Amino acid sequence: MNIVLAGAGEIGLNLAKSLAHQNHNISIIDNDRDHLDIIASNEDVLTVHGDASSIEVLKNANINKADIFLAITSMEQTNLLSAIIAKRLGAKRTFARVSNPEFLSEGQQVNFTGLGVDKIFSPRILAVKEIGRLLQRVAFSDVFEFEGGKIYSVGFKVDKTSVINNKSLIEIAQRVCDFPLRVLTVLRDDETIIPSGNFILNEGDHIYLSVLSKDLKKVNRLVGKKLKKIKKIMIVGGTALALSTAKKMEQYYKVTLIINSQAKARSAIDDLDSTLVIVGDPSEIELLKGEGIEGMDAFIALTSKSETNIISSLLAEELGVFKTIALVDNTAYIRLSQHIGIDTFINKKDIAADYIYQFVRQGKVQAISSMHGTEAEIIEYEVQENNKMTKAPIKNLDISNQFIIAGVIRAGEANIPDGNFQIITGDKIIIMVHKKQIPFVEGLFS
């Protein structure tokens, strides 16, 4: 597949690396020549220097042969204009990153489609939605929903009080659970393990499993951590993400926002309705105590500095806050969340990449999510006619070392299939796959 990316920032670079390693032909456009030289010396991609909204620059990137054009610079106007021009020059599908939430309404999307922009998205709004899901499902470190929430994949750390601690997967299925679930992968000491039935879970393991929507509450009792309803949350940071999160969450919770800037605080007060805005340094424990952190149900650290977010979240954990979420911009920090106590780390570029991947991956992909801290992904495919997955029951398919079937949607009904289940054309199949097996999976479903 020929893919042209406009913008070599964090999201663009992350996508370029990943897609190039999956044997796509990648061209990347950026104004920063030095940055492009570094990319060219490390990755097998074509680099084009210049303004992505320039017709000549787009032609130099072979836009007429592009299957996909991704405009993901930090400039909204450049993204929209370049996507419109790219479509006129022959790009088959175009995507543009925007910052204005008004553009994301259904009516506006139709307007942009008419202009030649097939899809618009905002990494910030995607991150706000992710935070909202995590606050709704407080027992879990990760929550992925498929088919509008008919099947969930959730992640959590095995606590010493958990009923699944020191149990094998066979024991869990036979003695512990009275509902269907599928253990997908386990992260243990930075190793991603695809477990067999005899695998025994230990305290500290980070486990991912799939479950039907109707049984999600039953999974809570496996966690071992006593649940608490979220009513009061504290957000720290003056970033656009922090303000957007406060704006959204004040509709459902009592929100306190701490900003380390008098000017940004005044602007936030004008924009927010019921949120209490405080000026101060979120890394100062006495300030947090003085503003009632010990009475908060959730703490969300969204400053521009990962280290500040990590430290303040650890302070919140130490002071007894039930749910902590920290924004990090360094993916190396993601694995730390399994070890240092913070419930969940989120990364905007990873969230945006997951959103984009579903349109880039080969086969009829419905959804895709990276399983944070692991080397695995969850992908939802629609099964096409003559796919070899339809030839026999699951137990007779030679897929055990390739991927795990997390769930199947058939005629709108969700299933956690056993070995006797047989896939048919038109099923939507949710699979967990190790990243090194993605080329095999793409070949199977393309």
Side-chain angles (χ1 to χ4, degrees):
M1 186 178 290
N2 296 316
I3 302 171
V4 178
L5 293 93
E10 288 186 342
I11 296 175
L13 183 57
N14 194 38
L15 283 168
K17 286 180 178 180
S18 179
L19 294 172
H21 293 167
Q22 295 167 32
N23 299 319
H24 295 291
N25 299 316
I26 307 299
S27 301
I28 186 162
I29 303 169
D30 200 88
N31 276 317
D32 189 330
R33 190 182 294 277
D34 291 338
H35 198 180
L36 289 176
D37 289 342
I38 294 172
I39 294 171
S41 65
N42 290 284
E43 304 297 334
D44 185 19
V45 301
L46 171 68
T47 59
V48 179
H49 177 252
D51 185 344
S53 61
S54 162
I55 294 175
E56 191 63 32
V57 169
L58 288 170
K59 286 182 176 179
N60 290 340
N62 300 318
I63 197 65
N64 62 310
K65 298 179 181 178
D67 297 293
I68 291 177
F69 174 72
L70 297 167
I72 46 182
T73 77
S74 59
M75 303 297 292
E76 180 178 79
Q77 291 180 332
T78 297
N79 293 337
L80 292 170
L81 180 58
S82 62
I84 292 169
I85 297 172
K87 176 69 87 170
R88 301 293 173 88
L89 292 177
K92 292 184 176 66
R93 289 190 292 166
T94 60
F95 301 80
R97 171 186 178 181
V98 299
S99 56
N100 187 344
E102 293 180 1
F103 288 164
L104 298 170
S105 67
E106 187 174 340
Q108 289 288 358
Q109 177 64 74
V110 172
N111 291 335
F112 282 115
T113 301
L115 292 171
V117 185
D118 294 311
K119 205 77 178 177
I120 56 176
F121 70 97
S122 165
R124 174 160 44 95
I125 300 305
L126 292 173
V128 171
K129 290 180 179 178
E130 176 77 3
I131 291 168
R133 282 194 294 269
L134 291 167
L135 290 176
Q136 289 176 339
R137 310 293 180 186
V138 292
F140 309 118
S141 62
D142 302 274
V143 181
F144 312 111
E145 60 179 61
F146 297 89
E147 285 299 299
K150 291 180 179 178
I151 289 183
Y152 281 87
S153 173
V154 297
F156 61 90
K157 192 172 184 179
V158 178
D159 189 81
K160 62 182 178 182
T161 63
S162 171
V163 295
I164 62 175
N165 186 28
N166 293 323
K167 298 287 193 307
S168 71
L169 302 193
I170 292 176
E171 287 180 289
I172 293 169
Q174 293 178 345
R175 304 178 191 175
V176 178
C177 297
D178 56 356
F179 58 94
L181 61 76
R182 180 67 38 79
V183 175
L184 304 177
T185 187
V186 175
L187 184 63
R188 175 180 290 174
D189 297 329
D190 293 335
E191 181 184 2
T192 300
I193 301 169
I194 311 301
S196 65
N198 293 319
F199 184 86
I200 297 176
L201 292 170
N202 294 336
E203 177 188 350
D205 285 346
H206 205 90
I207 180 174
Y208 289 87
L209 55 83
S210 61
V211 63
L212 299 179
S213 175
K214 66 182 181 65
D215 296 321
L216 190 59
K217 288 185 178 179
K218 296 179 182 178
V219 180
N220 290 338
R221 71 173 187 250
L222 305 183
V223 178
K225 187 176 181 180
K226 188 176 180 181
L227 299 185
K228 185 174 185 179
K229 185 175 178 61
I230 302 297
K231 296 179 180 179
K232 297 187 292 183
I233 66 175
M234 179 177 285
I235 301 172
V236 298
T239 59
L241 177 57
L243 297 175
S244 295
T245 301
K247 184 73 173 176
K248 184 67 174 179
M249 299 311 152
E250 69 178 2
Q251 301 175 38
Y252 312 102
Y253 311 102
K254 185 176 181 180
V255 179
T256 298
L257 175 64
I258 297 180
I259 300 178
N260 192 14
S261 164
Q262 189 76 47
K264 287 184 177 180
R266 285 196 297 267
S267 177
I269 291 171
D270 291 338
D271 188 51
L272 298 170
D273 297 320
S274 59
T275 296
L276 174 63
V277 180
I278 305 294
V279 179
D281 184 349
S283 63
E284 291 184 1
I285 190 168
E286 293 305 318
L287 171 69
L288 297 179
K289 285 183 176 180
E291 299 305 331
I293 189 173
E294 292 166 294
M296 295 293 167
D297 304 310
F299 181 87
I300 309 171
L302 303 174
T303 77
S304 59
K305 296 182 179 180
S306 298
E307 293 78 11
T308 298
N309 295 335
I310 292 170
I311 292 170
S312 60
S313 295
L314 288 172
L315 288 174
E317 286 275 354
E318 184 70 21
L319 294 170
V321 177
F322 181 78
K323 181 72 176 180
T324 54
I325 301 172
L327 173 71
V328 298
D329 55 15
N330 187 336
T331 53
Y333 288 144
I334 297 293
R335 290 182 182 271
L336 286 176
S337 66
Q338 326 296 342
H339 305 295
I340 67 174
I342 298 172
D343 288 322
T344 306
F345 283 176
I346 61 170
N347 182 288
K348 282 194 299 183
K349 65 175 179 282
D350 284 349
I351 293 170
D354 284 347
Y355 177 81
I356 293 171
Y357 281 148
Q358 65 183 294
F359 304 107
V360 174
R361 288 283 167 79
Q362 296 181 39
K364 203 160 185 181
V365 176
Q366 305 294 308
I368 184 169
S369 294
S370 296
M371 304 175 78
H372 301 149
T374 77
E375 295 298 320
E377 291 183 353
I378 309 175
I379 310 175
E380 180 182 350
Y381 284 101
E382 183 174 330
V383 179
Q384 304 298 295
E385 192 173 1
N386 297 322
N387 187 295
K388 74 176 186 179
M389 293 286 292
T390 65
K391 306 303 181 185
I394 290 173
K395 64 182 179 183
N396 295 333
L397 298 173
D398 186 22
I399 61 171
S400 59
N401 295 322
Q402 311 294 340
F403 58 86
I404 292 176
I405 298 176
V408 176
I409 307 292
R410 176 175 296 171
E413 182 179 347
N415 305 269
I416 305 293
D418 59 18
N420 295 315
F421 191 95
Q422 184 159 351
I423 306 296
I424 64 173
T425 300
D427 282 351
K428 293 179 180 179
I429 178 172
I430 302 161
I431 66 171
M432 190 286 303
V433 58
H434 195 285
K435 289 182 179 179
K436 65 183 179 182
Q437 295 293 347
I438 285 175
F440 168 82
V441 170
E442 289 187 334
L444 180 62
F445 288 99
S446 63

